[in-house]
Amino acid sequence: MILSLQTHRLRTLDEVRGFVAGSEAVDMVLPDRESVYRFTEETLVRFGYHGLSKAEKGVILRYLAKMTGKSPPQVQRLVRQHRERC
């Protein structure tokens, strides 16, 4: 069965915070590394990650870890790579 998760509907940090707090672990399998990178970058840009407060950044990091299945240090590395490219 193929399930489409519509994450682009999450527009505010409160919505993301509610998703992270209210959902169990998501077993989302992105087909390849490029998909993980693309999803991460789109999320960082959509929420203006680099302009957020420390607490707000934590919400986005937890969201990315949950959605990609990556560990927190792996997510931090992806964010750092994104920052260096921008």
Side-chain angles (χ1 to χ4, degrees), residues 23-60:
S23 66
E24 295 179 19
V26 176
D27 224 1
M28 186 170 109
V29 178
L30 294 170
D32 55 23
R33 191 182 318 191
E34 288 301 316
S35 297
V36 171
Y37 292 166
R38 187 172 36 250
F39 178 80
T40 301
E41 184 165 346
E42 289 170 359
T43 300
L44 295 174
V45 170
R46 180 169 22 135
F47 290 102
Y49 177 83
H50 300 296
L52 298 176
S53 70
K54 188 173 184 175
E56 293 168 335
K57 286 179 180 180
V59 171
I60 298 299

mmCIF file of all heavy atoms in Angstrom, residues 23-60:
data_model
loop_
_atom_site.group_PDB
_atom_site.id
_atom_site.type_symbol
_atom_site.label_atom_id
_atom_site.label_comp_id
_atom_site.label_asym_id
_atom_site.label_seq_id
_atom_site.Cartn_x
_atom_site.Cartn_y
_atom_site.Cartn_z
ATOM 1 N N SER A 23 1.864 12.670 17.197
ATOM 2 C CA SER A 23 1.937 11.492 16.343
ATOM 3 C C SER A 23 3.021 10.546 16.841
ATOM 4 O O SER A 23 3.998 10.953 17.448
ATOM 5 C CB SER A 23 2.233 11.895 14.893
ATOM 6 O OG SER A 23 3.510 12.464 14.784
ATOM 7 N N GLU A 24 2.789 9.295 16.562
ATOM 8 C CA GLU A 24 3.804 8.297 16.887
ATOM 9 C C GLU A 24 4.904 8.391 15.836
ATOM 10 O O GLU A 24 4.799 9.144 14.876
ATOM 11 C CB GLU A 24 3.176 6.913 16.875
ATOM 12 C CG GLU A 24 2.122 6.737 17.956
ATOM 13 C CD GLU A 24 1.489 5.365 17.901
ATOM 14 O OE1 GLU A 24 2.086 4.451 17.303
ATOM 15 O OE2 GLU A 24 0.398 5.230 18.438
ATOM 16 N N ALA A 25 5.920 7.592 16.010
ATOM 17 C CA ALA A 25 7.024 7.587 15.045
ATOM 18 C C ALA A 25 6.485 7.277 13.655
ATOM 19 O O ALA A 25 5.679 6.375 13.475
ATOM 20 C CB ALA A 25 8.070 6.568 15.436
ATOM 21 N N VAL A 26 6.906 8.038 12.693
ATOM 22 C CA VAL A 26 6.480 7.847 11.320
ATOM 23 C C VAL A 26 7.506 6.974 10.634
ATOM 24 O O VAL A 26 8.695 7.269 10.684
ATOM 25 C CB VAL A 26 6.365 9.212 10.595
ATOM 26 C CG1 VAL A 26 6.020 9.020 9.145
ATOM 27 C CG2 VAL A 26 5.352 10.095 11.287
ATOM 28 N N ASP A 27 7.041 5.924 10.046
ATOM 29 C CA ASP A 27 7.944 5.043 9.324
ATOM 30 C C ASP A 27 7.907 5.421 7.855
ATOM 31 O O ASP A 27 7.421 4.681 7.011
ATOM 32 C CB ASP A 27 7.514 3.587 9.518
ATOM 33 C CG ASP A 27 8.685 2.675 9.796
ATOM 34 O OD1 ASP A 27 9.806 3.180 9.861
ATOM 35 O OD2 ASP A 27 8.463 1.475 9.947
ATOM 36 N N MET A 28 8.400 6.598 7.561
ATOM 37 C CA MET A 28 8.376 7.104 6.204
ATOM 38 C C MET A 28 9.694 6.735 5.538
ATOM 39 O O MET A 28 10.756 7.033 6.070
ATOM 40 C CB MET A 28 8.215 8.624 6.223
ATOM 41 C CG MET A 28 8.044 9.225 4.866
ATOM 42 S SD MET A 28 7.575 10.947 5.008
ATOM 43 C CE MET A 28 9.064 11.737 4.466
ATOM 44 N N VAL A 29 9.610 6.107 4.417
ATOM 45 C CA VAL A 29 10.823 5.712 3.712
ATOM 46 C C VAL A 29 10.958 6.570 2.471
ATOM 47 O O VAL A 29 10.158 6.474 1.553
ATOM 48 C CB VAL A 29 10.765 4.216 3.317
ATOM 49 C CG1 VAL A 29 12.004 3.836 2.548
ATOM 50 C CG2 VAL A 29 10.583 3.349 4.540
ATOM 51 N N LEU A 30 11.944 7.428 2.492
ATOM 52 C CA LEU A 30 12.251 8.212 1.308
ATOM 53 C C LEU A 30 13.156 7.357 0.438
ATOM 54 O O LEU A 30 14.077 6.711 0.936
ATOM 55 C CB LEU A 30 12.926 9.526 1.700
ATOM 56 C CG LEU A 30 12.020 10.473 2.491
ATOM 57 C CD1 LEU A 30 12.817 11.630 3.054
ATOM 58 C CD2 LEU A 30 10.892 10.977 1.628
ATOM 59 N N PRO A 31 12.895 7.316 -0.857
ATOM 60 C CA PRO A 31 13.576 6.352 -1.723
ATOM 61 C C PRO A 31 15.098 6.471 -1.803
ATOM 62 O O PRO A 31 15.772 5.485 -2.034
ATOM 63 C CB PRO A 31 12.952 6.584 -3.097
ATOM 64 C CG PRO A 31 12.218 7.856 -3.011
ATOM 65 C CD PRO A 31 11.969 8.159 -1.575
ATOM 66 N N ASP A 32 15.633 7.656 -1.599
ATOM 67 C CA ASP A 32 17.083 7.805 -1.713
ATOM 68 C C ASP A 32 17.552 9.017 -0.921
ATOM 69 O O ASP A 32 16.763 9.775 -0.377
ATOM 70 C CB ASP A 32 17.508 7.926 -3.180
ATOM 71 C CG ASP A 32 16.803 9.053 -3.916
ATOM 72 O OD1 ASP A 32 16.334 10.001 -3.273
ATOM 73 O OD2 ASP A 32 16.722 8.982 -5.149
ATOM 74 N N ARG A 33 18.833 9.162 -0.870
ATOM 75 C CA ARG A 33 19.454 10.254 -0.112
ATOM 76 C C ARG A 33 19.031 11.619 -0.645
ATOM 77 O O ARG A 33 18.800 12.545 0.115
ATOM 78 C CB ARG A 33 20.968 10.107 -0.189
ATOM 79 C CG ARG A 33 21.695 11.018 0.756
ATOM 80 C CD ARG A 33 23.181 10.908 0.648
ATOM 81 N NE ARG A 33 23.616 9.524 0.509
ATOM 82 C CZ ARG A 33 24.863 9.119 0.602
ATOM 83 N NH1 ARG A 33 25.802 9.980 0.842
ATOM 84 N NH2 ARG A 33 25.172 7.859 0.465
ATOM 85 N N GLU A 34 18.929 11.736 -1.942
ATOM 86 C CA GLU A 34 18.532 13.015 -2.540
ATOM 87 C C GLU A 34 17.141 13.430 -2.096
ATOM 88 O O GLU A 34 16.877 14.618 -1.891
ATOM 89 C CB GLU A 34 18.606 12.945 -4.069
ATOM 90 C CG GLU A 34 20.016 12.917 -4.608
ATOM 91 C CD GLU A 34 20.820 14.142 -4.180
ATOM 92 O OE1 GLU A 34 20.292 15.277 -4.246
ATOM 93 O OE2 GLU A 34 21.977 13.966 -3.779
ATOM 94 N N SER A 35 16.245 12.473 -1.922
ATOM 95 C CA SER A 35 14.894 12.785 -1.446
ATOM 96 C C SER A 35 14.931 13.324 -0.028
ATOM 97 O O SER A 35 14.199 14.254 0.306
ATOM 98 C CB SER A 35 14.014 11.539 -1.494
ATOM 99 O OG SER A 35 13.855 11.096 -2.804
ATOM 100 N N VAL A 36 15.774 12.753 0.809
ATOM 101 C CA VAL A 36 15.929 13.246 2.183
ATOM 102 C C VAL A 36 16.477 14.667 2.151
ATOM 103 O O VAL A 36 15.986 15.552 2.854
ATOM 104 C CB VAL A 36 16.856 12.333 3.010
ATOM 105 C CG1 VAL A 36 17.192 12.961 4.350
ATOM 106 C CG2 VAL A 36 16.215 10.972 3.211
ATOM 107 N N TYR A 37 17.499 14.910 1.334
ATOM 108 C CA TYR A 37 18.082 16.245 1.231
ATOM 109 C C TYR A 37 17.047 17.252 0.748
ATOM 110 O O TYR A 37 16.939 18.354 1.268
ATOM 111 C CB TYR A 37 19.269 16.253 0.274
ATOM 112 C CG TYR A 37 20.480 15.502 0.748
ATOM 113 C CD1 TYR A 37 21.509 15.190 -0.128
ATOM 114 C CD2 TYR A 37 20.613 15.078 2.061
ATOM 115 C CE1 TYR A 37 22.641 14.500 0.290
ATOM 116 C CE2 TYR A 37 21.730 14.382 2.488
ATOM 117 C CZ TYR A 37 22.739 14.106 1.598
ATOM 118 O OH TYR A 37 23.845 13.413 2.010
ATOM 119 N N ARG A 38 16.285 16.881 -0.272
ATOM 120 C CA ARG A 38 15.284 17.778 -0.849
ATOM 121 C C ARG A 38 14.179 18.092 0.181
ATOM 122 O O ARG A 38 13.806 19.245 0.358
ATOM 123 C CB ARG A 38 14.689 17.166 -2.109
ATOM 124 C CG ARG A 38 13.772 18.087 -2.868
ATOM 125 C CD ARG A 38 13.323 17.535 -4.219
ATOM 126 N NE ARG A 38 13.107 16.098 -4.206
ATOM 127 C CZ ARG A 38 13.876 15.192 -4.826
ATOM 128 N NH1 ARG A 38 14.907 15.574 -5.512
ATOM 129 N NH2 ARG A 38 13.615 13.913 -4.775
ATOM 130 N N PHE A 39 13.690 17.053 0.876
ATOM 131 C CA PHE A 39 12.658 17.251 1.891
ATOM 132 C C PHE A 39 13.175 18.170 2.996
ATOM 133 O O PHE A 39 12.476 19.085 3.436
ATOM 134 C CB PHE A 39 12.216 15.907 2.478
ATOM 135 C CG PHE A 39 11.186 16.037 3.564
ATOM 136 C CD1 PHE A 39 9.857 16.245 3.241
ATOM 137 C CD2 PHE A 39 11.553 15.982 4.892
ATOM 138 C CE1 PHE A 39 8.905 16.385 4.235
ATOM 139 C CE2 PHE A 39 10.608 16.119 5.892
ATOM 140 C CZ PHE A 39 9.283 16.320 5.559
ATOM 141 N N THR A 40 14.403 17.938 3.432
ATOM 142 C CA THR A 40 15.000 18.759 4.492
ATOM 143 C C THR A 40 15.125 20.205 4.041
ATOM 144 O O THR A 40 14.735 21.134 4.752
ATOM 145 C CB THR A 40 16.377 18.204 4.899
ATOM 146 O OG1 THR A 40 16.206 16.856 5.360
ATOM 147 C CG2 THR A 40 17.023 19.038 5.979
ATOM 148 N N GLU A 41 15.648 20.415 2.863
ATOM 149 C CA GLU A 41 15.834 21.777 2.363
ATOM 150 C C GLU A 41 14.501 22.500 2.198
ATOM 151 O O GLU A 41 14.355 23.656 2.592
ATOM 152 C CB GLU A 41 16.587 21.762 1.029
ATOM 153 C CG GLU A 41 16.877 23.150 0.525
ATOM 154 C CD GLU A 41 17.912 23.168 -0.585
ATOM 155 O OE1 GLU A 41 18.592 22.164 -0.800
ATOM 156 O OE2 GLU A 41 18.012 24.217 -1.225
ATOM 157 N N GLU A 42 13.508 21.816 1.631
ATOM 158 C CA GLU A 42 12.194 22.434 1.456
ATOM 159 C C GLU A 42 11.593 22.840 2.802
ATOM 160 O O GLU A 42 10.993 23.901 2.930
ATOM 161 C CB GLU A 42 11.249 21.480 0.726
ATOM 162 C CG GLU A 42 11.589 21.304 -0.736
ATOM 163 C CD GLU A 42 10.800 20.184 -1.400
ATOM 164 O OE1 GLU A 42 9.976 19.515 -0.723
ATOM 165 O OE2 GLU A 42 11.000 19.984 -2.601
ATOM 166 N N THR A 43 11.768 21.991 3.799
ATOM 167 C CA THR A 43 11.240 22.283 5.124
ATOM 168 C C THR A 43 11.959 23.481 5.744
ATOM 169 O O THR A 43 11.322 24.381 6.307
ATOM 170 C CB THR A 43 11.366 21.052 6.041
ATOM 171 O OG1 THR A 43 10.629 19.971 5.456
ATOM 172 C CG2 THR A 43 10.836 21.336 7.430
ATOM 173 N N LEU A 44 13.283 23.512 5.640
ATOM 174 C CA LEU A 44 14.046 24.624 6.208
ATOM 175 C C LEU A 44 13.669 25.946 5.556
ATOM 176 O O LEU A 44 13.507 26.969 6.231
ATOM 177 C CB LEU A 44 15.543 24.362 6.061
ATOM 178 C CG LEU A 44 16.097 23.173 6.836
ATOM 179 C CD1 LEU A 44 17.556 22.942 6.485
ATOM 180 C CD2 LEU A 44 15.912 23.347 8.325
ATOM 181 N N VAL A 45 13.496 25.934 4.253
ATOM 182 C CA VAL A 45 13.134 27.156 3.528
ATOM 183 C C VAL A 45 11.694 27.563 3.860
ATOM 184 O O VAL A 45 11.422 28.739 4.132
ATOM 185 C CB VAL A 45 13.311 26.958 2.008
ATOM 186 C CG1 VAL A 45 12.710 28.108 1.230
ATOM 187 C CG2 VAL A 45 14.787 26.793 1.665
ATOM 188 N N ARG A 46 10.776 26.603 3.881
ATOM 189 C CA ARG A 46 9.357 26.906 4.126
ATOM 190 C C ARG A 46 9.149 27.588 5.472
ATOM 191 O O ARG A 46 8.331 28.501 5.586
ATOM 192 C CB ARG A 46 8.539 25.616 4.072
ATOM 193 C CG ARG A 46 7.068 25.845 4.323
ATOM 194 C CD ARG A 46 6.184 24.651 4.028
ATOM 195 N NE ARG A 46 6.856 23.385 4.045
ATOM 196 C CZ ARG A 46 6.379 22.294 4.635
ATOM 197 N NH1 ARG A 46 5.227 22.323 5.258
ATOM 198 N NH2 ARG A 46 7.048 21.157 4.601
ATOM 199 N N PHE A 47 9.896 27.160 6.482
ATOM 200 C CA PHE A 47 9.715 27.730 7.813
ATOM 201 C C PHE A 47 10.748 28.804 8.160
ATOM 202 O O PHE A 47 10.753 29.309 9.277
ATOM 203 C CB PHE A 47 9.732 26.624 8.874
ATOM 204 C CG PHE A 47 8.509 25.751 8.793
ATOM 205 C CD1 PHE A 47 8.573 24.505 8.213
ATOM 206 C CD2 PHE A 47 7.294 26.206 9.269
ATOM 207 C CE1 PHE A 47 7.442 23.709 8.107
ATOM 208 C CE2 PHE A 47 6.156 25.423 9.178
ATOM 209 C CZ PHE A 47 6.227 24.170 8.594
ATOM 210 N N GLY A 48 11.609 29.175 7.216
ATOM 211 C CA GLY A 48 12.603 30.212 7.473
ATOM 212 C C GLY A 48 13.479 29.858 8.660
ATOM 213 O O GLY A 48 13.683 30.666 9.559
ATOM 214 N N TYR A 49 13.989 28.636 8.646
ATOM 215 C CA TYR A 49 14.690 28.054 9.786
ATOM 216 C C TYR A 49 15.748 28.976 10.383
ATOM 217 O O TYR A 49 15.818 29.152 11.587
ATOM 218 C CB TYR A 49 15.332 26.727 9.379
ATOM 219 C CG TYR A 49 16.136 26.090 10.481
ATOM 220 C CD1 TYR A 49 15.524 25.319 11.448
ATOM 221 C CD2 TYR A 49 17.517 26.277 10.563
ATOM 222 C CE1 TYR A 49 16.247 24.742 12.475
ATOM 223 C CE2 TYR A 49 18.253 25.700 11.583
ATOM 224 C CZ TYR A 49 17.610 24.934 12.532
ATOM 225 O OH TYR A 49 18.331 24.376 13.550
ATOM 226 N N HIS A 50 16.573 29.575 9.557
ATOM 227 C CA HIS A 50 17.715 30.340 10.062
ATOM 228 C C HIS A 50 17.312 31.635 10.765
ATOM 229 O O HIS A 50 18.114 32.225 11.475
ATOM 230 C CB HIS A 50 18.724 30.591 8.946
ATOM 231 C CG HIS A 50 19.247 29.314 8.377
ATOM 232 N ND1 HIS A 50 19.995 28.416 9.115
ATOM 233 C CD2 HIS A 50 19.101 28.741 7.166
ATOM 234 C CE1 HIS A 50 20.296 27.362 8.379
ATOM 235 N NE2 HIS A 50 19.757 27.538 7.191
ATOM 236 N N GLY A 51 16.066 32.038 10.627
ATOM 237 C CA GLY A 51 15.587 33.227 11.320
ATOM 238 C C GLY A 51 14.750 32.918 12.555
ATOM 239 O O GLY A 51 14.229 33.826 13.191
ATOM 240 N N LEU A 52 14.637 31.644 12.895
ATOM 241 C CA LEU A 52 13.811 31.239 14.030
ATOM 242 C C LEU A 52 14.579 31.343 15.348
ATOM 243 O O LEU A 52 15.806 31.360 15.359
ATOM 244 C CB LEU A 52 13.346 29.789 13.842
ATOM 245 C CG LEU A 52 12.480 29.499 12.624
ATOM 246 C CD1 LEU A 52 12.187 28.002 12.533
ATOM 247 C CD2 LEU A 52 11.189 30.296 12.668
ATOM 248 N N SER A 53 13.828 31.348 16.430
ATOM 249 C CA SER A 53 14.450 31.317 17.753
ATOM 250 C C SER A 53 14.975 29.905 18.015
ATOM 251 O O SER A 53 14.644 28.958 17.299
ATOM 252 C CB SER A 53 13.428 31.681 18.831
ATOM 253 O OG SER A 53 12.471 30.639 18.980
ATOM 254 N N LYS A 54 15.755 29.772 19.072
ATOM 255 C CA LYS A 54 16.337 28.472 19.411
ATOM 256 C C LYS A 54 15.249 27.428 19.682
ATOM 257 O O LYS A 54 15.341 26.287 19.222
ATOM 258 C CB LYS A 54 17.253 28.612 20.622
ATOM 259 C CG LYS A 54 18.041 27.378 20.929
ATOM 260 C CD LYS A 54 19.051 27.645 22.031
ATOM 261 C CE LYS A 54 19.900 26.417 22.274
ATOM 262 N NZ LYS A 54 20.952 26.667 23.246
ATOM 263 N N ALA A 55 14.217 27.800 20.397
ATOM 264 C CA ALA A 55 13.124 26.872 20.705
ATOM 265 C C ALA A 55 12.378 26.450 19.438
ATOM 266 O O ALA A 55 12.028 25.278 19.265
ATOM 267 C CB ALA A 55 12.159 27.505 21.692
ATOM 268 N N GLU A 56 12.143 27.401 18.548
ATOM 269 C CA GLU A 56 11.454 27.100 17.286
ATOM 270 C C GLU A 56 12.299 26.196 16.403
ATOM 271 O O GLU A 56 11.776 25.294 15.743
ATOM 272 C CB GLU A 56 11.107 28.400 16.570
ATOM 273 C CG GLU A 56 10.068 29.225 17.309
ATOM 274 C CD GLU A 56 9.931 30.631 16.759
ATOM 275 O OE1 GLU A 56 10.890 31.159 16.149
ATOM 276 O OE2 GLU A 56 8.852 31.209 16.949
ATOM 277 N N LYS A 57 13.609 26.431 16.399
ATOM 278 C CA LYS A 57 14.495 25.557 15.628
ATOM 279 C C LYS A 57 14.432 24.130 16.156
ATOM 280 O O LYS A 57 14.458 23.170 15.381
ATOM 281 C CB LYS A 57 15.941 26.068 15.695
ATOM 282 C CG LYS A 57 16.175 27.300 14.862
ATOM 283 C CD LYS A 57 17.609 27.783 14.988
ATOM 284 C CE LYS A 57 17.842 29.020 14.140
ATOM 285 N NZ LYS A 57 19.216 29.503 14.233
ATOM 286 N N GLY A 58 14.320 23.988 17.477
ATOM 287 C CA GLY A 58 14.217 22.659 18.070
ATOM 288 C C GLY A 58 12.985 21.910 17.576
ATOM 289 O O GLY A 58 13.036 20.702 17.331
ATOM 290 N N VAL A 59 11.880 22.622 17.403
ATOM 291 C CA VAL A 59 10.650 22.006 16.891
ATOM 292 C C VAL A 59 10.891 21.487 15.474
ATOM 293 O O VAL A 59 10.529 20.348 15.142
ATOM 294 C CB VAL A 59 9.484 23.021 16.900
ATOM 295 C CG1 VAL A 59 8.270 22.466 16.169
ATOM 296 C CG2 VAL A 59 9.126 23.403 18.319
ATOM 297 N N ILE A 60 11.517 22.307 14.651
ATOM 298 C CA ILE A 60 11.779 21.906 13.263
ATOM 299 C C ILE A 60 12.752 20.731 13.223
ATOM 300 O O ILE A 60 12.571 19.794 12.434
ATOM 301 C CB ILE A 60 12.310 23.100 12.435
ATOM 302 C CG1 ILE A 60 11.273 24.224 12.379
ATOM 303 C CG2 ILE A 60 12.724 22.661 11.040
ATOM 304 C CD1 ILE A 60 9.957 23.837 11.726
#
